[in-house]
Amino acid sequence: MSEAASVYLHVPFCLSKCPYCAFASAAACEGDWEIYLRAASSEMERRAPEAGPLETLYAGGGTPSVLSPGAWGGLIESIEKFFEFSDAPEVTIEANPGSLTKEHLTLWRGWRVNRVSLGVQSLDDGELAALGRLHSASQAAEAALMCLSAGFSVSLDLMFGLPGTPDDLRGWAGTLRRAVALGPHHISVYQLCIEPGTPFGAAYADAPRASDGYVPYRYAQWLLPRLGYEQYEVASFALPGHESAHNLNYWYDGSYIGIGPSAWSCVGGVRSKNASRLRDYAEALAQGHAPTDYAERIEGEAAARQAAVLALRTRRGINWRRFRARYGEAFADAIRKDLENIPGDLASTDEFSASLSKKGLRLGNAIWANII
Ligand code: SF4
């Protein structure tokens, strides 16, 4: 079995639940942290034999900065006990401006963390309030500056297509420019999805959206490269050398181990997902079982097509030599033929590689539907 060089650690706690969020996260109840720390450590021990020296580790959530520095000390101890790292790993922790402290940063910096991804979403107080976020624009700016002056590579998550915001781009352009002025190394842009089963789902399911997302997304594609941030994936823009190695591993079909409730793994061609409820997850581990509630082996053409779609999320796209070596001539040729039917201003393919243009990335969902 090939060894995974990437670990994703899911921290399932948040200060409170944002009204649009469908992720597996919740405010912690009494005793939840202890249950989580014990179970995560037990899962690390169980999964460690599948891992080689780690090239990347990414702690996401949820809100990892909700855990106190003391609790983080426990997590770090378990990680160091069960995993080895390569010589220069990328270690990222997600944080929210409302819970991140200097103590977190000192602890993380003294360990191996070299990258912080901040859930800023907007730098407009009205939009942040509408999103139900707990931080203000000035708190978000302070958190970003604190991470930068502590020496981290910093990524900011920003969100467009908010319901009820005018489509005149003013709000989005203001957030983007203010974000760049802070000097982050990486910016991720996402369209707000109205998810069924969330308070926003109930409130806005049938409400007309001020924006379908195309215009603000195109604006980001126009603005950010002019300011030095190259788009290297559908949602990701980075200064040279600051692309997310962890995410590139997903998009280029690498193996990864997911630790924590609801975390996904993909090792040896098997994709699996852990139980989402903390107590189910912890109970399975306490009884000596894998805490998974779903697993499938992906192989043959389905695996090839899925890998092609993931690679096409990136500007570099598919490398046919590597793709053929892994999935064989026949599937590579079939996918290449499908791509040749896509208009040349959206996708280009030659004997070496295939990739989407910036316009193609804007219409990615429609293109990928033709390949999967
Ligand atoms: S902070 Fe993030 S993970 Fe937590 S509820 Fe809000 S959107 Fe969801």
Side-chain angles (χ1 to χ4, degrees):
M1 187 195 291
S2 63
E3 289 180 329
S6 284
V7 164
Y8 171 74
L9 172 68
H10 188 75
V11 178
F13 309 118
C14 290
L15 286 178
S16 68
K17 193 76 184 163
C18 301
Y20 56 87
C21 177
F23 292 127
S25 67
C29 299
E30 181 77 31
D32 278 357
W33 283 14
E34 290 72 21
I35 294 171
Y36 168 72
L37 293 176
R38 208 175 312 121
S41 178
S42 154
E43 193 187 13
M44 287 180 210
E45 182 172 16
R46 199 184 162 90
R47 304 293 305 273
E50 297 166 64
L54 298 186
E55 302 283 348
T56 74
L57 181 139
Y58 190 108
T63 308
S65 53
V66 156
L67 289 179
S68 66
W72 260 104
L75 270 181
I76 290 169
E77 207 176 291
S78 297
I79 294 167
E80 288 293 333
K81 184 168 169 193
F82 297 118
F83 294 105
E84 279 174 33
F85 284 84
S86 67
D87 289 343
E90 177 193 272
V91 179
T92 305
I93 299 188
E94 283 182 355
N96 274 342
S99 54
L100 181 65
T101 64
K102 278 206 172 108
E103 290 70 36
H104 283 110
L105 296 183
T106 305
L107 176 76
W108 294 344
R109 197 76 190 124
W111 181 44
R112 298 178 179 272
V113 182
N114 41 33
R115 197 167 173 273
V116 175
S117 175
L118 271 181
V120 167
Q121 315 313 347
S122 169
L123 287 165
D124 176 286
D125 282 334
E127 289 183 2
L128 287 167
L131 285 170
R133 300 294 297 198
L134 299 176
H135 62 264
S136 64
S138 62
Q139 275 178 308
E142 266 169 42
L145 294 175
M146 195 163 73
C147 294
L148 286 163
S149 60
F152 292 100
S153 178
V154 174
S155 177
L156 306 182
D157 282 358
L158 303 175
M159 200 180 261
F160 59 87
L162 314 188
T165 55
D167 198 12
D168 63 4
L169 279 182
R170 244 176 302 171
W172 176 237
T175 282
L176 277 181
R177 288 186 185 274
R178 280 193 285 274
V180 169
L182 293 169
H185 304 87
H186 187 284
I187 293 178
S188 297
V189 301
Y190 302 100
Q191 181 173 17
L192 174 68
C193 288
I194 302 295
E195 302 280 359
T198 63
F200 266 29
Y204 296 117
D206 302 321
R209 298 288 288 274
S211 160
D212 64 2
Y214 189 90
V215 174
Y217 179 62
R218 189 172 179 179
Y219 181 77
Q221 282 187 311
W222 174 82
L223 179 74
L224 292 176
R226 278 168 179 73
L227 300 174
Y229 297 84
E230 277 309 318
Q231 182 172 21
Y232 69 99
E233 187 266 345
V234 176
S236 310
F237 298 79
L239 298 181
H242 288 275
E243 296 83 6
S244 164
H246 185 83
N247 288 340
L248 283 168
N249 178 60
Y250 286 134
W251 299 319
Y252 290 134
D253 210 10
S255 297
Y256 53 91
I257 293 170
I259 302 285
S262 83
W264 284 88
S265 299
C266 187
V267 183
V270 176
R271 247 164 59 89
S272 61
K273 181 188 153 290
N274 283 347
S276 295
R277 282 191 60 238
L278 174 61
R279 278 158 210 267
D280 296 341
Y281 165 77
E283 204 176 305
L285 285 158
Q287 292 176 0
H289 304 309
T292 46
D293 63 7
Y294 173 84
E296 65 171 337
R297 174 170 289 284
I298 308 177
E299 49 197 352
E301 186 163 4
R305 289 189 174 274
Q306 192 168 299
V309 165
L310 280 174
L312 287 170
R313 291 184 63 95
T314 68
R315 280 312 301 281
R316 263 193 281 155
I318 300 170
N319 174 315
W320 289 123
R321 186 181 54 75
R322 259 188 273 139
F323 197 88
R324 273 197 198 93
R326 180 146 179 186
Y327 294 104
E329 204 72 38
F331 297 146
D333 286 347
I335 292 166
R336 197 170 150 187
K337 245 184 222 126
D338 290 346
L339 282 166
E340 280 165 2
N341 290 329
I342 292 170
D345 61 335
L346 302 180
S348 62
T349 182
D350 58 29
E351 59 187 298
F352 303 111
S353 64
S355 60
L356 301 192
S357 65
K358 285 191 174 186
K359 186 176 176 186
L361 291 174
R362 293 199 285 278
L363 300 170
N365 287 341
I367 296 172
W368 300 324
N370 277 308
I371 295 168
I372 207 76

